[in-house]
Amino acid sequence: MNSQRARICLALALAAAFSAHITLGDEVQELANEKDIAGLTRLLRHRDGRVRSAGGVALSCVIREVEDPRTLTPLVGTLVQATLRDPYANVREYAGRALRHSLGHVSNVATLRSAVPPLVDMLNAGQVEQKQRLYAR
């Protein structure tokens, strides 16, 4: 089951990468096969949204297979930023999935404390936005 899930995730990442560049698909596949979390995280900062999208999909799949939670701690800040600020909904969604998994396995209290305020601010901003739309009618 786990290998089937990994194949499905990789297929999604490759589909996202294919829309960007055919050579990018090979690069994303190589990074995913090597479980190169640092390389996939770097893709979240790429200037091309399609590249960020492919990296986010692959990262959200690979990060589930990480056994050592200490490797997830340095990723939390980057994942929070991608989840909250990326203009592409696909990048935000898959970075959010990777973030959800990371936060569930990180035991470093300082890391968790640094992740909470931006997420709370996002929720508050969303509530304000909903109220503004409701009263604007």
Side-chain angles (χ1 to χ4, degrees):
M1 177 73 174
N2 209 8
S3 65
Q4 182 181 6
R5 174 180 265 170
R7 283 194 302 258
I8 291 170
C9 283
L10 187 55
L12 285 171
L14 290 175
F18 184 74
S19 69
H21 301 271
I22 199 75
T23 56
L24 175 66
D26 296 338
E27 181 183 338
V28 171
Q29 183 175 10
E30 184 176 322
L31 291 171
N33 287 340
E34 294 174 0
K35 297 183 180 15
D36 183 356
I37 292 176
L40 292 170
T41 304
R42 277 193 302 276
L43 291 179
L44 290 176
R45 291 187 224 104
H46 197 277
R47 60 183 167 79
D48 187 341
R50 296 170 296 184
V51 174
R52 293 192 310 272
S53 180
V57 172
L59 182 62
S60 72
C61 297
V62 169
I63 211 164
R64 296 172 197 267
E65 300 173 13
V66 171
E67 295 175 11
D68 184 7
R70 290 175 293 183
T71 60
L72 300 176
T73 301
L75 302 176
V76 171
T78 302
L79 292 172
V80 167
Q81 295 304 316
T83 302
L84 298 180
R85 294 199 168 92
D86 200 278
Y88 282 77
N90 199 30
V91 176
R92 292 191 308 268
E93 177 185 350
Y94 284 100
R97 289 180 184 195
L99 177 64
R100 180 180 65 208
H101 180 78
S102 296
L103 290 177
H105 291 82
V106 169
S107 58
N108 183 326
V109 175
T111 301
L112 295 173
R113 282 187 181 154
S114 70
V116 170
L119 295 171
V120 170
D121 290 344
M122 179 194 68
L123 291 172
N124 288 336
Q127 290 173 351
V128 169
E129 204 173 284
Q130 285 178 338
K131 288 180 183 176
Q132 287 175 339
R133 277 187 262 147
L134 177 69
Y135 294 121
R137 293 181 189 184

